[in-house]
Amino acid sequence: MKAVGLIVEYNPFHNGHAFHLQASKEAAGADVVIAVMSGNFLQRGEPALVSKWYRTQMALLNGVDLVFELPYRFAVQKAETFASGAVSILDAAGCEALCFGSESGDLTSFLQTISFLKENQQLFDASIKQHMENGVSYPKAIALSYQGLSGSDQFLNLAKPNNILGFQYMKAILEQNSQLKPLTVARKNADYHDEHFASETIASATSIRKAIFAEEEMHSPNIEQYVPEPTNRLLQEYKQRFGSYHHWENYWDLLQYKLITSSADELKNIYEMEEGLENRLVDAALTSADFKEYMDNIKTKRYTWTRLQRLSVHVLTNAKKTDMKNSIQAEYIRLLGMTQTGKDYLNKMKKHFSLPIISKLSAYKEKEILLDIKAARIYAMAFPKHIRKQMIRQEFNQPPIFIQK
Amino acid sequence: MKAVGLIVEYNPFHNGHAFHLQASKEAAGADVVIAVMSGNFLQRGEPALVSKWYRTQMALLNGVDLVFELPYRFAVQKAETFASGAVSILDAAGCEALCFGSESGDLTSFLQTISFLKENQQLFDASIKQHMENGVSYPKAIALSYQGLSGSDQFLNLAKPNNILGFQYMKAILEQNSQLKPLTVARKNADYHDEHFASETIASATSIRKAIFAEEEMHSPNIEQYVPEPTNRLLQEYKQRFGSYHHWENYWDLLQYKLITSSADELKNIYEMEEGLENRLVDAALTSADFKEYMDNIKTKRYTWTRLQRLSVHVLTNAKKTDMKNSIQAEYIRLLGMTQTGKDYLNKMKKHFSLPIISKLSAYKEKEILLDIKAARIYAMAFPKHIRKQMIRQEFNQPPIFIQK
């Protein structure tokens, strides 16, 4: 059985994801599709719209055969670490290929960029450092340095989020001497961060979330045409069961409380907290009425919005520097769900997996997973009080989701 | 000018307090009444019904001339520490007498008890220890030991909350070699913890709060006959401005979140956390839907309800063992409010005060007061989001309340 790996967040699963999934399966000639998916908190430093269990169902009902959780300490991270963790899991699970979306759909430009940067590593690093000393954010410094050295995006435009991710996947494969064969398919229409609908059927997850939250407030647009039927149905079910989707504003009270009660030393221990930033966050907590106002208050040219959101997630989850080890490979594979095909693949292949596979939390005692458990419990704090305790405990009780198809 | 000191919580100020205030003033022949009042969190480990600023107004409109805040680290404490801190402030502020309520209204039994216990200190301590080893709570162990040694409450019934407080005030005066002259007046009708109305005009604060919360839910009884007009008016104003009074349930989300996110080591550092208790609290946080259920889940014979509530306040405020120094005397006097008489007294006497008096927070830099500031900010978390940030900052902006009369 031949497996292709995808690295996803599915927040929520939409038609563009369905397209990418089918194209990847074909490009790899695969029988099995394995997705490594961020858990309840995402790479851009936000709570997922719906829980990882609902997003797992969406994935399985739309063609994924196995869903593994990308652990918190790789998921809520800059592109480089995110890519490292995800690649290590797909590799450990015996995937033959990794297929990612890109602007061009052509691997050549990625390969050229990587070999160019390898040859110019020192110049590149020095240039990034220089830009950052001038107060430019890290992602922008990368793009500017690459542009400066290679001469106007000669191969790849690293200012595009999808290209950055693809580039980091390629780099991780090389650095880990992974067996994964990189493949890329061109993205359809929507740009990663697009906030507006640009086509009849394909829209970015960002624009879909925007429509969903607008709908929550005003009962206006709908997203049916942009998502497969199971996504639409599961989103409606979620809303009915739990009353609302998850948004940073749902966690504002807790973040504000955490910042107000913690000592400076406690905040300094939080992952990614840089000297002096803790005072800025506390001041904003004391003077802001909601999360949006808080973000506007802490924003500076030096730190990207995304970076400050990720830092805020780490404050919320009390994720400390000592919790977020710097290794580039995962220690375990957490199984969130499978189809019959996925199950067959597991039964046949798991003895060759190079990492332990966890399907029942109670059977796994390593402390690395505690951060994932804690993140799930904190995510559950946004559920209404009367069902919160079940949802908090779900993390231990929930067996992997199985969908027969 | 002759001042009498009272030690109060006024949660809320009721007719029994008014009676005690007048009787104390007469008994001491005083011109000025000084109250040391718990801040936003109280001795029994609960948030006050309304903020210390509103309770200060109630006090001033009902005959108190100066309101000083009993700092958090004395207020949210067992009777002995509570009494020590309060006595040290009244003494430092030049009071000639301290007048407390008691069952009998007679000082003799307090004096006899104290001299009896002085003579039998070792036996008494040994007996308390013995009872506690048998799983009895501390207050009960005191009452049982005293009963056992003196022969059936020979002088004073130490099982009565008011007698315990009075006894601790007497003990603190002796231990601190205080100039305060102890006085006591008999309480009218209501028992400290009474939950039901037992007279036409006098009811315990407990029964008044119970009626207030019942009213919040059912719009039924009212408390007008049990409280002076200013209390009634201020309570109504509070409800209108802020939407609700403060109850532990308003802080449940934050307490649950704090217990879920903290590491075992962080919880072990919390003041009054005993070995193993942290696991009990975390388990209860994971399995309880609200504060009441949580309290039922952590309750054991060994710890009183009050003690566990106090511990929970310390968890909520992140008050650590290192924050709660063990000295028995206050380091400062925080002025919350005054009448013209109180102001005259201050102008005349404050140069003789043996502790610094703080009327503007920005002028005082000692770190002891940080815990009071933090407690006020956390208390403010129960206000609606749109006014919370003003209320959080009120702690710095609010000058002492002045009432001309």
Side-chain angles (χ1 to χ4, degrees):
Chain A
M1 286 174 102
K2 191 172 177 178
V4 64
L6 312 179
I7 300 171
V8 304
E9 299 209 298
Y10 293 159
N11 186 40
F13 191 103
H14 57 57
N15 292 344
H17 295 130
F19 168 80
H20 174 244
L21 192 159
Q22 288 311 323
S24 301
K25 204 168 173 179
E26 281 164 32
D31 317 296
V32 180
V33 178
I34 300 181
V36 176
M37 185 180 81
S38 299
N40 287 322
F41 291 95
L42 306 180
Q43 201 255 327
R44 285 163 72 189
E46 290 173 336
L49 191 64
V50 298
S51 76
K52 61 188 179 192
W53 302 108
Y54 266 74
R55 281 154 51 234
T56 294
Q57 287 182 64
M58 289 175 191
L60 297 174
L61 291 168
N62 283 298
V64 173
D65 296 301
L66 282 168
V67 181
F68 298 140
E69 178 173 357
L70 183 63
Y72 178 94
R73 76 187 184 78
F74 295 108
V76 187
Q77 286 278 17
K78 63 180 188 288
E80 188 174 4
T81 315
F82 179 88
S84 271
V87 162
S88 74
I89 287 173
L90 293 175
D91 188 75
C95 288
E96 295 189 11
L98 158 65
C99 189
F100 55 89
S102 62
E103 307 302 326
S104 65
D106 179 11
L107 216 57
T108 325
S109 57
F110 288 95
L111 292 167
Q112 286 170 330
T113 299
I114 281 179
S115 75
F116 175 83
L117 288 185
K118 256 192 167 165
E119 285 160 26
N120 298 277
Q121 190 69 51
Q122 286 188 330
L123 281 172
F124 188 57
D125 290 347
S127 171
I128 290 175
K129 204 177 157 202
Q130 183 63 51
H131 280 296
M132 287 183 73
E133 280 171 8
N134 295 338
V136 167
S137 74
Y138 180 65
K140 198 162 181 195
I142 292 183
L144 286 176
S145 300
Y146 180 62
Q147 212 173 32
L149 286 173
S150 71
S152 66
D153 304 331
Q154 199 182 343
F155 312 118
L156 195 63
N157 181 356
L158 279 182
K160 297 245 179 193
N162 258 297
N163 286 344
I164 291 185
L165 279 171
F167 169 72
Q168 296 292 358
Y169 297 148
M170 298 285 293
K171 202 154 82 55
I173 287 173
L174 289 176
E175 285 174 359
Q176 296 179 30
N177 291 318
S178 164
Q179 70 189 355
L180 291 171
K181 180 182 166 197
L183 297 171
T184 185
V185 295
R187 280 166 61 83
K188 282 263 212 176
N189 296 30
D191 255 2
Y192 192 70
H193 290 315
D194 264 1
E195 296 204 359
H196 305 288
F197 294 136
S199 115
E200 288 294 300
T201 54
I202 303 284
S204 71
T206 305
S207 64
I208 290 170
R209 286 195 301 278
K210 210 185 156 191
I212 285 173
F213 285 119
E215 188 188 18
E216 277 214 305
E217 281 163 27
M218 308 179 304
H219 306 282
S220 57
N222 83 58
I223 55 157
E224 269 176 54
Q225 72 195 93
Y226 301 111
V227 299
E229 184 280 325
T231 296
N232 199 41
R233 180 168 49 76
L234 286 166
L235 284 176
Q236 285 180 19
E237 182 185 310
Y238 202 88
K239 185 72 180 284
Q240 258 175 347
R241 270 185 78 184
F242 305 125
S244 78
Y245 304 118
H246 300 247
H247 190 284
W248 244 123
E249 294 296 351
N250 302 128
Y251 300 91
W252 165 241
D253 282 11
L254 303 179
L255 178 65
Q256 185 179 35
Y257 163 78
K258 170 75 181 173
L259 286 167
I260 288 178
T261 42
S262 301
S263 68
D265 281 342
E266 285 169 332
L267 292 177
K268 278 179 193 153
N269 288 332
I270 298 292
Y271 183 65
E272 293 224 315
M273 190 69 77
E274 285 186 16
E275 187 63 32
L277 206 47
E278 71 279 5
N279 299 324
R280 201 171 170 81
L281 267 56
V282 171
D283 284 346
L286 292 171
T287 55
S288 306
D290 54 33
F291 183 73
K292 199 190 161 306
E293 197 178 326
Y294 158 85
M295 283 299 294
D296 288 336
N297 281 331
I298 61 174
K299 186 79 189 65
T300 64
K301 223 175 80 183
R302 187 181 183 82
Y303 303 107
T304 62
W305 184 278
T306 304
R307 168 125 187 243
L308 292 170
Q309 277 204 155
R310 276 201 298 262
L311 174 61
S312 300
V313 169
H314 299 317
V315 172
L316 182 72
T317 58
N318 197 20
K320 301 190 198 68
K321 285 168 176 144
T322 48
D323 296 326
M324 304 284 278
K325 289 190 299 183
N326 267 331
S327 88
I328 54 170
Q329 297 192 27
E331 285 92 355
Y332 53 89
I333 303 176
R334 172 92 187 269
L335 176 63
L336 295 178
M338 57 197 160
T339 59
Q340 185 59 54
T341 307
K343 197 174 181 181
D344 295 343
Y345 178 83
L346 274 190
N347 285 338
K348 204 168 150 201
M349 298 294 290
K350 73 178 168 193
K351 57 182 172 293
H352 306 298
F353 281 15
S354 57
L355 290 174
I357 183 150
I358 306 172
S359 41
K360 261 175 71 180
L361 265 196
S362 49
Y364 189 71
K365 301 291 177 206
E366 298 305 314
K367 74 173 175 23
E368 286 82 17
I369 208 164
L370 292 178
L371 199 52
D372 296 342
I373 296 173
K374 200 166 65 164
R377 287 170 173 177
I378 290 159
Y379 185 79
M381 289 296 299
F383 290 115
K385 217 169 279 195
H386 66 282
I387 49 170
R388 193 187 300 158
K389 69 177 179 180
Q390 296 155 243
M391 305 314 291
I392 285 177
R393 292 194 81 76
Q394 185 187 32
E395 198 59 19
F396 269 102
N397 307 337
Q398 174 76 51
I401 290 169
F402 177 66
I403 285 179
Q404 188 112 38
K405 61 172 246 173
Chain B
M1 287 172 102
K2 192 170 177 182
V4 64
L6 312 179
I7 300 171
V8 304
E9 299 209 301
Y10 292 159
N11 186 39
F13 190 102
H14 57 57
N15 293 343
H17 295 130
F19 168 81
H20 174 245
L21 193 159
Q22 289 310 322
S24 301
K25 206 168 170 179
E26 281 163 33
D31 317 297
V32 180
V33 178
I34 299 181
V36 176
M37 185 179 82
S38 300
N40 288 321
F41 292 95
L42 306 181
Q43 202 255 327
R44 286 162 73 188
E46 290 172 338
L49 190 65
V50 298
S51 75
K52 60 187 178 193
W53 302 108
Y54 267 72
R55 282 156 48 238
T56 294
Q57 288 182 64
M58 288 175 191
L60 297 175
L61 290 168
N62 283 298
V64 174
D65 296 303
L66 282 168
V67 181
F68 297 141
E69 178 173 357
L70 183 63
Y72 178 94
R73 76 186 184 77
F74 294 107
V76 187
Q77 287 277 16
K78 61 181 191 289
E80 187 174 5
T81 314
F82 178 88
S84 271
V87 162
S88 73
I89 288 173
L90 292 176
D91 188 83
C95 288
E96 295 191 11
L98 159 65
C99 188
F100 56 89
S102 62
E103 308 302 325
S104 64
D106 179 10
L107 217 58
T108 323
S109 57
F110 288 95
L111 292 166
Q112 285 171 331
T113 300
I114 283 182
S115 76
F116 176 83
L117 288 185
K118 255 190 168 168
E119 284 159 26
N120 298 277
Q121 189 68 51
Q122 285 189 332
L123 282 171
F124 187 56
D125 289 346
S127 171
I128 291 175
K129 203 179 158 199
Q130 184 62 51
H131 280 295
M132 287 183 73
E133 279 171 9
N134 295 338
V136 166
S137 73
Y138 178 65
K140 201 165 178 189
I142 290 183
L144 286 174
S145 300
Y146 180 61
Q147 214 172 32
L149 286 173
S150 69
S152 70
D153 303 331
Q154 198 183 340
F155 312 117
L156 194 64
N157 182 356
L158 280 182
K160 297 248 179 192
N162 259 297
N163 286 343
I164 290 186
L165 278 172
F167 169 72
Q168 296 292 358
Y169 297 148
M170 298 285 293
K171 200 152 85 55
I173 288 174
L174 288 176
E175 285 174 358
Q176 296 179 28
N177 291 315
S178 165
Q179 70 189 357
L180 290 172
K181 180 184 167 196
L183 298 171
T184 185
V185 295
R187 281 167 60 83
K188 281 264 212 177
N189 296 30
D191 253 2
Y192 192 71
H193 289 317
D194 264 0
E195 296 203 0
H196 304 289
F197 294 135
S199 119
E200 289 293 302
T201 55
I202 304 285
S204 72
T206 306
S207 63
I208 291 171
R209 286 195 302 276
K210 209 183 160 195
I212 286 174
F213 286 119
E215 189 188 16
E216 278 215 304
E217 282 164 25
M218 307 179 305
H219 306 282
S220 56
N222 82 58
I223 54 158
E224 269 176 54
Q225 73 196 92
Y226 300 109
V227 300
E229 185 279 328
T231 296
N232 199 42
R233 182 169 48 77
L234 287 165
L235 284 175
Q236 285 180 18
E237 181 185 310
Y238 202 88
K239 187 74 179 285
Q240 259 178 345
R241 268 185 80 184
F242 306 125
S244 78
Y245 304 118
H246 299 247
H247 189 284
W248 243 123
E249 294 295 352
N250 301 128
Y251 300 91
W252 165 243
D253 281 12
L254 303 180
L255 177 67
Q256 184 180 36
Y257 163 77
K258 170 74 181 176
L259 286 167
I260 288 177
T261 42
S262 300
S263 68
D265 281 341
E266 286 168 332
L267 292 177
K268 277 179 194 153
N269 288 331
I270 297 293
Y271 183 66
E272 293 224 315
M273 189 70 78
E274 285 186 17
E275 188 62 34
L277 205 47
E278 71 278 5
N279 299 324
R280 200 169 169 81
L281 267 54
V282 171
D283 284 347
L286 292 171
T287 55
S288 305
D290 54 33
F291 184 73
K292 198 192 162 307
E293 196 177 327
Y294 159 84
M295 283 300 295
D296 288 336
N297 281 332
I298 61 174
K299 187 76 190 67
T300 65
K301 222 176 78 184
R302 190 183 179 78
Y303 303 107
T304 61
W305 185 278
T306 303
R307 167 127 188 240
L308 292 170
Q309 277 204 155
R310 275 201 298 263
L311 174 61
S312 299
V313 169
H314 299 316
V315 172
L316 182 72
T317 58
N318 197 23
K320 302 192 197 66
K321 285 167 177 145
T322 47
D323 297 326
M324 305 284 279
K325 289 191 297 181
N326 267 331
S327 88
I328 53 170
Q329 299 192 25
E331 285 91 356
Y332 53 87
I333 302 178
R334 172 94 185 269
L335 174 64
L336 294 179
M338 57 196 161
T339 58
Q340 185 60 52
T341 307
K343 198 173 176 182
D344 294 343
Y345 178 84
L346 274 190
N347 285 338
K348 203 169 150 202
M349 298 292 292
K350 74 177 169 195
K351 56 182 172 295
H352 305 299
F353 282 15
S354 58
L355 290 174
I357 183 149
I358 306 171
S359 41
K360 262 175 74 182
L361 265 194
S362 48
Y364 189 71
K365 302 290 179 208
E366 297 306 312
K367 73 174 177 16
E368 286 83 17
I369 208 166
L370 291 178
L371 199 52
D372 295 342
I373 297 174
K374 201 164 67 166
R377 286 169 174 176
I378 291 158
Y379 184 79
M381 289 296 301
F383 289 116
K385 216 171 280 196
H386 66 283
I387 49 169
R388 191 187 301 155
K389 69 177 178 178
Q390 297 155 242
M391 305 314 292
I392 284 177
R393 292 194 81 75
Q394 186 186 32
E395 198 59 17
F396 268 104
N397 306 335
Q398 175 76 51
I401 290 170
F402 176 65
I403 285 180
Q404 188 112 35
K405 63 171 236 173

